[in-house]
Amino acid sequence: MPSVRAKFPKTRRLSGNIAFARVFGAKCSASNRHLVVYVRENGLPYARIGLSVGRRLGGAVQRNRLKRLIREAFRLEAAVLPAGFDLVCIPRPDSGATLDDYRAAMKTVTGRALARFKASAPAKTEPPA
């Protein structure tokens, strides 16, 4: 039985200061003890992820490991995450999270952030005739 390869192309990555500023500017986030997630609509048929890992989380080796874990969690959970949104993920310090922890956090925290985004979005009403 051939295995199905789940790809993670560069188009799924958020890059550039302007793209990150747009997501942070939407001010729609949620968090748990492992992860903080900011969301914003992107108008694309797929979700994109950006990572912000500060120096207080450790040296370069530790920070890169966290980024690899979160990217892998996003790749594995991409099928259940809603399309059309940009996500910026910030890992929490000293959480000691594993890949399974980040996978669970990706689903739950993103779901809560999207609920907040939809609740804060202005209702689209037709102008009075």
Side-chain angles (χ1 to χ4, degrees):
M1 180 167 132
S3 64
V4 176
R5 183 170 182 219
K7 296 180 182 182
F8 187 64
K10 286 189 177 185
T11 58
R12 299 292 175 103
R13 294 184 187 187
L14 198 61
S15 64
N17 291 338
I18 294 171
F20 275 80
R22 284 183 184 145
V23 177
F24 286 129
K27 297 181 181 178
C28 240
S29 68
S31 65
N32 69 1
R33 60 184 285 239
H34 301 298
L35 201 60
V36 179
V37 176
Y38 287 82
V39 298
R40 182 180 190 272
E41 281 184 308
N42 64 13
L44 299 171
Y46 50 84
R48 297 186 301 180
I49 187 172
L51 300 170
S52 179
V53 183
R55 287 189 181 149
R56 70 179 182 159
L57 293 172
V61 173
Q62 289 86 6
R63 292 194 312 268
N64 288 331
R65 175 159 174 74
L66 287 172
K67 289 190 271 187
R68 285 193 306 271
L69 284 171
I70 295 169
R71 271 192 217 110
E72 181 67 4
F74 175 79
R75 185 186 71 81
L76 293 171
E77 299 300 329
V80 296
L81 294 175
F85 285 91
D86 286 339
L87 312 172
V88 173
C89 298
I90 305 170
R92 295 278 182 130
D94 300 326
S95 73
T98 63
L99 177 60
D100 292 332
D101 294 332
Y102 282 126
R103 285 182 73 179
M106 185 70 64
K107 287 188 287 191
T108 59
V109 176
T110 302
R112 285 201 323 262
L114 287 172
R116 288 182 184 170
F117 177 82
K118 290 175 182 174
S120 69
K124 295 180 181 177
T125 59
E126 295 181 24

